[in-house]
Amino acid sequence: MRMKQTIPSSYVGLKINEWYTHIRQFHVAEAERVKLEVEREIEDMEEDQDLLLYYSLMEFRHRVMLDYIKPFGEDTSQLEFSELLEDIEGNQYKLTGLLEYYFNFFRGMYEFKQKMFVSAMMYYKRAEKNLALVSDDIEKAEFAFKMAEIFYNLKQTYVSMSYAVQALETYQMYETYTVRRIQCEFVIAGNYDDMQYPERALPHLELALDLAKKEGNPRLISSALYNLGNCYEKMGELQKAAEYFEKSVSICKSEKFDNLPHSIYSLTQVLYKQKNDAEAQQKYREGLEIARQYNDELFVELFQFLHALYGKNIDTESVSHTFQFLEEHMLYPYIEELAHDAAQFYIENGQPEKALSFYEKMVHAQKQIQRGDCLYEI
Amino acid sequence: MRMKQTIPSSYVGLKINEWYTHIRQFHVAEAERVKLEVEREIEDMEEDQDLLLYYSLMEFRHRVMLDYIKPFGEDTSQLEFSELLEDIEGNQYKLTGLLEYYFNFFRGMYEFKQKMFVSAMMYYKRAEKNLALVSDDIEKAEFAFKMAEIFYNLKQTYVSMSYAVQALETYQMYETYTVRRIQCEFVIAGNYDDMQYPERALPHLELALDLAKKEGNPRLISSALYNLGNCYEKMGELQKAAEYFEKSVSICKSEKFDNLPHSIYSLTQVLYKQKNDAEAQQKYREGLEIARQYNDELFVELFQFLHALYGKNIDTESVSHTFQFLEEHMLYPYIEELAHDAAQFYIENGQPEKALSFYEKMVHAQKQIQRGDCLYEI
């Protein structure tokens, strides 16, 4: 038996955009057809108040279109549609603005889901021009949160930070928005991490952990614990890092979360860096097994890398195999980090020539990261 | 004899902000005093249409304040100023919004001049909320250009790019805005450079060069030539890079531009990298002399660095002296670049241990750059 899939609201939003295009071209039959499709999909859709509002606005706009052509019955041959459109958009100034807002907002969300971040940013920025028409505070905060999220993904740290703070200020005023508050704190902490200030991220993550506990939300609790571990690792406090990763792992295990391989991997890495070889070895074996069970190819590779580099005898071939895998999949952030770790390791083991080649790999990866998914062709 | 200095408009803008504060608190005497100061300063100010508009709006707002208190003559003891303020701001909705816009815009420009980029960004973003009230296209383009500029400085590449394109679209429509068009092309090229796509920057710089020649503006011509040299250097085409730097140097010389030391330095660096030792040596001597004449401490150091690293015999002590100087002055972008160059040099000369220590310096500098002038304390 297969569970019925829930349709993401960004997908339905895109369909409403299509509906809007037909409406603005006075394609009545197509508009009616897409309208029906939208209504069918809304029944199986994830909960999303914004989308339902967008739907209602569009339904109203649909009726406006019909009212304008009704006097002419079936025969629309004498109509000048461009003039009608101007007339409608002039009279329905606020409605048009709001529709433009949602049109771009949902298109942005859709692009975000496809990981087309630059394109998502462009649609969100277009939506922002009509944000003043949105009167609800929570809806404005929702928009600011989406902006914080997209700019965090694009590493536009300062911009992301300013939107996250804006969203947080609103969410703090409402008790029912704890989950979003926690997510805002995560984005702020992530930005501090990107700015190389892990110590400033700490209080935000501790607050997020408290709130997540009060909510009793295991996913958010384990994320907060994981992020805290990551923070302490960056600060060089490996013992504390290991403790937090351990706690996060144990929740991921009991809840069967799909990021279990990732959590065990981070724990294993810290144990190796602490030179706690016995425990590291054990976690490596357990983690590799679990990564295989989860069919998580990336983490199978990464566990093998840890063992090859930090295990009893360095396995140079296996190390280069992992880098080959990461390069093929263009996983440059992993390459940057692991190349730096490998360089460090070879320095400590008195092999400067080896270390150098990893530094060169790291610099190359940094360049690729900066090139990013550059979509600008001006 | 000393030339009379021109007052920057951002400075006068800040004074108008002070004037506004007094107006909103109904401090008549102080408002009158600052108004007079502003009027005096405008006479010696650089040309700025935006500032003059801001002044006129404020003068009008000043009169509104006087009208509201006039009926009470000298005796203002019975007035409830907060109610008056609400009344004024309610009635003068558009005026208040525009004043808010200019208030934040000029404060942003002022912060920008002080190199307080994060703070400038925050004021610009506040101004943006009232941008819809600005009706003039050129003024909107001006704002977009300022945004492109600030985000370029903060390395928020994608955001900067989207504003630069927006500004350019307007400037292209007006023949009289060629200088701004060129500046937009520079920002776009700079962003491509930061994205590690020098080849995409090229056509923008070539266009900028053409436009600058048509304008007959030697400063912009030499900047375009310099940026082209920089682009070709990044692309590994050292011969072309040297040719463009050479042309830029010759304009800087005849026009006595203060960035002459910088241009000769870049030329010398490329010549050394080309292993054109004879010419490099000659430019080094000339450049060092000029940097001294210009009292340019940084470039005196940098010329000495080039000679110490690439000269006949490596002068290790002088090399470390330069890094010490750069660290004291927190010039991390220079450290990142020069450490990478030094590492490369030592690899070629078969000294991997030395190369390693420079890679470590480079990684440290990168971290400091990411920390930037992080002013967020949330």
Side-chain angles (χ1 to χ4, degrees):
Chain A
M1 210 183 74
R2 236 180 110 224
M3 290 275 290
K4 201 167 182 182
Q5 289 276 322
T6 324
I7 303 174
S9 64
S10 60
Y11 175 84
V12 184
L14 214 67
K15 187 140 265 172
I16 302 185
N17 289 358
E18 193 191 327
W19 179 14
Y20 192 24
T21 311
H22 290 311
I23 289 176
R24 296 184 80 238
Q25 294 173 329
F26 297 90
H27 293 157
V28 180
E30 279 91 337
E32 298 274 7
R33 181 181 54 77
V34 181
K35 180 173 184 288
L36 278 176
E37 282 179 31
V38 167
E39 283 159 357
R40 222 173 297 129
E41 282 171 4
I42 282 179
E43 280 173 34
D44 301 329
M45 193 189 71
E46 60 181 337
E47 211 192 298
D48 188 329
Q49 292 302 321
D50 278 348
L51 188 116
L52 296 177
L53 182 58
Y54 187 30
Y55 166 77
S56 313
L57 289 168
M58 196 60 80
E59 216 215 338
F60 183 74
R61 180 67 180 78
H62 187 99
R63 267 184 281 136
V64 171
M65 167 190 71
L66 295 179
D67 284 348
Y68 268 75
I69 15 182
K70 208 163 38 193
F72 302 89
E74 292 290 291
D75 178 22
T76 54
S77 59
Q78 40 175 323
L79 287 177
E80 198 58 72
F81 286 133
S82 63
E83 276 174 30
L84 276 190
L85 187 65
E86 250 174 65
D87 196 17
I88 292 173
E89 299 200 330
N91 282 325
Q92 307 279 346
Y93 172 74
K94 203 185 159 191
L95 176 67
T96 305
L98 273 175
L99 288 177
E100 287 284 309
Y101 171 77
Y102 285 108
F103 184 94
N104 289 302
F105 182 62
F106 279 99
R107 177 66 191 263
M109 268 171 69
Y110 179 81
E111 299 287 324
F112 186 85
K113 284 226 169 182
Q114 317 292 312
K115 296 200 189 298
M116 303 297 281
F117 297 130
V118 173
S119 165
M121 175 193 82
M122 311 257 268
Y123 284 104
Y124 282 154
K125 280 199 87 67
R126 276 183 217 162
E128 197 173 31
K129 291 198 173 137
N130 286 302
L131 184 62
L133 295 170
V134 174
S135 42
D136 186 56
D137 268 359
I138 286 294
E139 262 192 86
K140 279 187 184 165
E142 196 67 12
F143 182 78
F145 175 73
K146 296 267 175 229
M147 290 296 254
E149 197 182 39
I150 183 82
F151 287 118
Y152 172 65
N153 275 281
L154 287 168
K155 299 257 179 203
Q156 314 285 289
T157 313
Y158 293 112
V159 184
S160 171
M161 203 64 140
S162 81
Y163 281 108
V165 172
Q166 207 178 307
L168 193 59
E169 276 168 2
T170 303
Y171 290 133
Q172 278 169 341
M173 295 192 292
Y174 298 85
E175 269 192 28
T176 40
Y177 285 89
T178 313
V179 171
R180 272 284 190 256
R181 244 184 102 181
I182 296 169
Q183 289 170 322
C184 279
E185 297 290 0
F186 283 167
V187 172
I188 290 171
N191 281 316
Y192 272 134
D193 192 26
D194 284 344
M195 284 181 200
Q196 306 288 344
Y197 278 107
E199 67 278 16
R200 292 197 191 170
L202 272 187
H204 295 276
L205 293 174
E206 273 154 12
L207 178 60
L209 180 59
D210 274 358
L211 292 170
K213 279 178 180 165
K214 275 187 199 133
E215 280 284 297
N217 183 324
R219 190 169 284 280
L220 292 175
I221 296 172
S222 87
S223 294
L225 290 166
Y226 180 87
N227 291 339
L228 278 161
N230 184 50
C231 237
Y232 280 112
E233 186 182 350
K234 284 265 172 89
M235 289 161 66
E237 298 193 31
L238 301 183
Q239 184 53 37
K240 274 201 169 164
E243 286 162 21
Y244 277 107
F245 284 141
E246 183 87 59
K247 284 183 199 163
S248 173
V249 164
S250 103
I251 296 174
C252 288
K253 261 185 201 167
S254 58
E255 302 282 338
K256 299 193 171 45
F257 286 151
D258 53 6
N259 46 8
L260 175 59
H262 197 154
S263 302
I264 305 190
Y265 165 74
S266 298
L267 174 59
T268 313
Q269 194 179 32
V270 164
L271 291 170
Y272 272 125
K273 285 185 184 173
Q274 278 188 292
K275 312 221 184 296
N276 186 345
D277 285 345
E279 235 186 291
Q281 199 76 354
Q282 191 197 319
K283 292 292 169 201
Y284 151 72
R285 258 183 254 114
E286 187 192 342
L288 182 61
E289 185 57 34
I290 288 171
R292 277 182 182 142
Q293 277 168 23
Y294 278 62
N295 283 320
D296 195 327
E297 208 187 348
L298 170 61
F299 282 97
V300 169
E301 273 299 333
L302 293 181
F303 275 112
Q304 284 167 341
F305 169 82
L306 287 184
H307 185 66
L309 187 67
Y310 299 112
K312 266 195 189 120
N313 306 301
I314 311 176
D315 178 352
T316 325
E317 210 163 300
S318 175
V319 167
S320 17
H321 183 272
T322 299
F323 279 104
Q324 217 177 305
F325 173 88
L326 294 173
E327 269 153 31
E328 270 164 23
H329 292 76
M330 299 196 290
L331 295 161
Y332 297 111
Y334 282 106
I335 301 178
E336 185 189 5
E337 188 200 335
L338 298 187
H340 195 209
D341 285 349
Q344 223 95 53
F345 178 86
Y346 281 112
I347 290 173
E348 281 173 30
N349 283 268
Q351 289 175 265
E353 312 248 353
K354 272 261 162 208
L356 263 185
S357 77
F358 282 106
Y359 264 122
E360 279 168 353
K361 244 191 220 329
M362 183 192 81
V363 172
H364 176 75
Q366 286 175 337
K367 233 181 200 172
Q368 299 307 314
I369 293 169
Q370 280 177 296
R371 293 175 79 119
D373 47 354
C374 174
L375 288 178
Y376 277 96
E377 280 286 14
I378 300 158
Chain B
M1 206 182 76
R2 236 180 111 225
M3 289 275 290
K4 200 166 181 181
Q5 290 274 322
T6 323
I7 302 174
S9 64
S10 61
Y11 175 84
V12 183
L14 213 66
K15 187 138 265 172
I16 302 185
N17 288 358
E18 193 192 329
W19 178 15
Y20 192 25
T21 312
H22 290 311
I23 290 177
R24 296 184 78 241
Q25 295 172 330
F26 298 90
H27 292 160
V28 180
E30 279 91 339
E32 298 275 8
R33 180 180 55 77
V34 181
K35 179 172 184 287
L36 278 176
E37 281 178 33
V38 166
E39 284 160 355
R40 222 173 297 130
E41 282 170 3
I42 282 179
E43 281 173 31
D44 301 328
M45 193 188 71
E46 60 181 338
E47 211 191 296
D48 188 330
Q49 292 300 322
D50 278 348
L51 187 117
L52 296 178
L53 182 58
Y54 187 29
Y55 166 77
S56 314
L57 290 167
M58 196 58 80
E59 216 214 339
F60 183 73
R61 181 67 181 76
H62 187 97
R63 268 185 280 137
V64 171
M65 167 192 69
L66 294 180
D67 284 348
Y68 268 74
I69 16 180
K70 209 166 32 197
F72 301 89
E74 293 290 291
D75 177 22
T76 54
S77 58
Q78 42 176 320
L79 287 176
E80 198 58 75
F81 286 132
S82 63
E83 277 174 28
L84 276 189
L85 187 66
E86 251 175 62
D87 196 20
I88 293 174
E89 299 199 330
N91 282 325
Q92 308 280 347
Y93 172 74
K94 204 187 160 190
L95 176 67
T96 304
L98 273 175
L99 287 179
E100 286 284 308
Y101 171 76
Y102 285 108
F103 183 93
N104 288 303
F105 182 61
F106 279 99
R107 178 66 191 262
M109 267 171 68
Y110 179 81
E111 298 288 323
F112 186 85
K113 284 225 169 180
Q114 316 293 311
K115 296 200 188 299
M116 303 297 282
F117 298 130
V118 173
S119 167
M121 175 193 83
M122 311 257 267
Y123 284 105
Y124 282 155
K125 280 198 87 67
R126 277 184 217 160
E128 197 173 30
K129 289 196 174 136
N130 286 302
L131 184 63
L133 295 170
V134 174
S135 43
D136 186 56
D137 268 359
I138 286 293
E139 264 193 85
K140 279 187 184 165
E142 195 67 10
F143 182 78
F145 175 73
K146 296 268 174 226
M147 290 296 253
E149 197 182 38
I150 183 81
F151 287 118
Y152 172 65
N153 275 280
L154 286 168
K155 299 257 180 204
Q156 313 285 287
T157 313
Y158 293 112
V159 184
S160 170
M161 204 64 140
S162 80
Y163 281 109
V165 172
Q166 206 178 308
L168 193 60
E169 276 167 4
T170 303
Y171 290 134
Q172 277 169 342
M173 293 190 294
Y174 298 84
E175 267 192 33
T176 40
Y177 285 89
T178 312
V179 171
R180 272 286 189 252
R181 244 185 103 181
I182 296 169
Q183 290 169 323
C184 279
E185 298 289 1
F186 283 166
V187 172
I188 291 170
N191 280 316
Y192 272 135
D193 192 28
D194 284 344
M195 284 181 200
Q196 307 286 344
Y197 277 108
E199 66 279 17
R200 292 196 192 170
L202 273 188
H204 295 276
L205 293 174
E206 273 154 11
L207 178 59
L209 179 59
D210 274 357
L211 292 170
K213 279 180 181 165
K214 274 187 200 132
E215 280 284 296
N217 183 325
R219 189 170 285 279
L220 292 174
I221 296 173
S222 87
S223 293
L225 290 166
Y226 180 86
N227 291 339
L228 278 162
N230 184 49
C231 236
Y232 279 112
E233 186 182 351
K234 285 265 172 88
M235 291 162 65
E237 298 193 32
L238 301 184
Q239 183 53 38
K240 272 201 172 166
E243 285 163 22
Y244 278 107
F245 284 142
E246 183 87 60
K247 283 183 200 162
S248 172
V249 164
S250 102
I251 296 174
C252 288
K253 260 186 203 166
S254 58
E255 302 282 337
K256 300 194 172 42
F257 287 151
D258 53 6
N259 47 8
L260 174 60
H262 197 152
S263 302
I264 305 189
Y265 166 74
S266 298
L267 174 59
T268 313
Q269 193 179 32
V270 165
L271 291 171
Y272 272 125
K273 285 184 184 173
Q274 278 188 295
K275 311 219 185 296
N276 186 343
D277 284 345
E279 234 185 293
Q281 199 75 355
Q282 191 197 318
K283 292 290 168 203
Y284 151 71
R285 257 182 255 116
E286 188 192 342
L288 182 61
E289 184 57 34
I290 288 171
R292 278 183 180 140
Q293 276 167 24
Y294 277 61
N295 283 320
D296 195 327
E297 209 188 348
L298 170 61
F299 282 96
V300 169
E301 272 299 333
L302 294 180
F303 275 112
Q304 283 167 341
F305 169 83
L306 287 184
H307 185 65
L309 187 68
Y310 299 111
K312 265 194 190 123
N313 305 301
I314 311 177
D315 178 351
T316 324
E317 210 163 300
S318 174
V319 167
S320 13
H321 184 272
T322 299
F323 280 103
Q324 217 176 305
F325 173 88
L326 295 173
E327 269 154 29
E328 270 164 24
H329 292 76
M330 299 196 291
L331 295 162
Y332 297 112
Y334 282 105
I335 301 179
E336 185 189 5
E337 188 200 335
L338 297 188
H340 195 209
D341 285 349
Q344 222 95 51
F345 178 85
Y346 281 112
I347 290 173
E348 282 173 29
N349 283 267
Q351 289 176 262
E353 312 249 353
K354 272 261 161 210
L356 262 186
S357 77
F358 282 106
Y359 264 121
E360 280 169 353
K361 244 191 219 329
M362 182 192 80
V363 171
H364 176 75
Q366 287 175 337
K367 235 182 199 171
Q368 298 308 314
I369 292 170
Q370 280 177 295
R371 294 175 81 118
D373 47 353
C374 174
L375 288 179
Y376 277 97
E377 280 286 11
I378 301 158

